[in-house]
Every structure is written in structure tokens, then in C-alpha cells.
Amino acid sequence: MKTKLITTIGCLLLMAGFVKADAILSFDDHSGAPAAGSYAAGTSFTFDITLAVSTSGTDSVPNVSGFSVWVETSEANNSYFTITSRTLSTFTDPNTPGITLPQAIVAGGNANDLGGTGTTQVTNASYLVMSITIAINASTPAGTYTIVTTTTNSNPVDHHNRSVANDAGFVAHPLAATAYTITVVPEPATLSLLGLGSLGSFGLTVLRARRKS
């Protein structure tokens, strides 16, 4: 399964490389690797999301008045990651009182648009637009996973589950898929048990060797 997951990630990043988007998201958890992080099962982590808009590519963004974002993972990982907190920056939530959390990250996207709208901002600039906290289920197996922004446009009228940046003229500029790689490691208690198991195995080996001698 891990091989299939890595292949999927590679295809997504390759597709994103061919899209010369002028509206791009980036993830950063301040751990030293902006697009990746390592966490224990059963813990939570927070990363910032930045939106950069420009006029230099094939989909010129004259300004930005808001954005829409959903995040997803592969269907096999539907029970592993949950959004527990979201804080908007630069823009505000157009809904009152806002979305309901927690929300599971599943194939096809989480339940509600994570984006916002607000005062129109100038182009050729980057804006911190959101911070989200994600809980990792304690039963999540150790391994590598990804959370990726959606690009699906299941309903062209309301852009449902389609991540875009909107300009003041109500034109939606699609966001290329942006992936965040998650390495899940065993929680400390599990590591301790593994360590005790290894120590016990070592002790038995030594005892058997002494008996033979």
C-alpha cells in the first residue's frame, strides 16, 4: 500500500509541476521542512497555510478577495486525520458562526470549505490565510501519508470541493494540488514497549548462550 501511496503522491506533484498557476498554496509547520513533518500517532500538529498570487503565469490574478480550500487524503486513510481547529488570517469566514469542527479528512475533501473572504488584497504578494490543527488517530499505523488540497470540480456553479482563489471580479483561479507529507511514528508508550520487548529478547539470548557454555 505504501508503494501505491508514494506513486500517487509522485503523480500529483508531477501534475502540479505542469500547471503554471498564479495562485499557489504552501504549508508550513515550522519544523524545518515546510512541506513535511514527523509526528507520533495520537498527537496533533498545526501548520500555517500561505496563499501567493501573481500576474506572471498563465492564469493572471489581478487581486485576491478570498479563497476556497478543501483538503483530502486517500480513501484507505479516511479514519486517520481530523481537523480540530482553524484560525483564519487576512480574510474572514463568510459564514456565521462558521464551520463546525472537528471534521474528518477523507477522500474527496473534508465536509466544509475552509476558506474565507474579505477586503481585496493586491496581487504579486503572499498572505498568511489560515492555520489549522490536525489530530492523528492513535491507531494510525507508522508510515508516510499525505494531505492534499482538492482540485475536483463536482459542481461548476458553486465550485463545491474545488480549491480556488477568487478575485474582486468574482473570477475563480484554480489552485494546483498542494501536498503535505506526514510521517507517523509510534507513540512514546509504544516505543517503550518495543524497547522492553527487544531488551527481553536480548536477555533470553544471553541466558541461552550461557546455558550452552
Side-chain angles (χ1 to χ4, degrees):
M1 186 180 89
K2 194 177 292 185
T3 302
K4 290 182 179 178
L5 179 62
I6 293 171
T7 302
T8 302
I9 297 168
C11 290
L12 284 171
L13 295 178
L14 184 62
M15 289 169 60
F18 284 114
V19 178
K20 298 196 71 174
D22 289 343
I24 300 171
L25 289 178
S26 59
F27 302 153
D28 185 4
D29 72 346
H30 309 287
S31 65
S38 181
Y39 319 98
T43 63
S44 297
F45 65 95
T46 300
F47 57 63
D48 297 333
I49 299 179
T50 299
L51 171 66
V53 292
S54 70
T55 57
S56 61
T58 57
D59 183 23
S60 180
V61 183
N63 49 54
V64 58
S65 62
F67 69 107
S68 292
V69 170
W70 287 262
V71 289
E72 65 177 331
T73 187
S74 66
E75 188 170 357
N77 306 330
N78 274 356
S79 63
Y80 296 153
F81 306 104
T82 303
I83 301 169
T84 58
S85 173
R86 177 198 64 154
T87 302
L88 286 169
S89 302
T90 306
F91 302 106
T92 58
D93 194 334
N95 301 313
T96 303
I99 66 173
T100 300
L101 295 172
Q103 288 192 13
I105 299 176
V106 296
N110 57 291
N112 298 120
D113 184 359
L114 297 170
T117 61
T119 303
T120 300
Q121 306 293 326
V122 299
T123 192
N124 297 317
S126 297
Y127 302 97
L128 173 65
V129 292
M130 177 170 50
S131 296
I132 61 175
T133 298
I134 294 174
I136 304 172
N137 192 301
S139 66
T140 304
T144 301
Y145 305 87
T146 60
I147 289 174
V148 61
T149 57
T150 63
T151 56
T152 304
N153 185 13
S154 60
N155 187 339
V157 175
D158 66 3
H159 298 159
H160 180 61
N161 280 20
R162 182 188 182 209
S163 297
V164 300
N166 301 296
D167 64 35
F170 301 102
V171 175
H173 302 269
L175 293 164
T178 302
Y180 183 85
T181 303
I182 301 166
T183 301
V184 176
V185 297
E187 59 183 337
T190 303
L191 287 173
S192 297
L193 289 173
L194 290 173
L196 288 172
S198 299
L199 188 61
S201 177
F202 175 73
L204 286 173
T205 302
V206 172
L207 183 61
R208 286 169 184 164
R210 285 180 176 176
R211 285 177 176 174
K212 286 181 179 179
S213 60

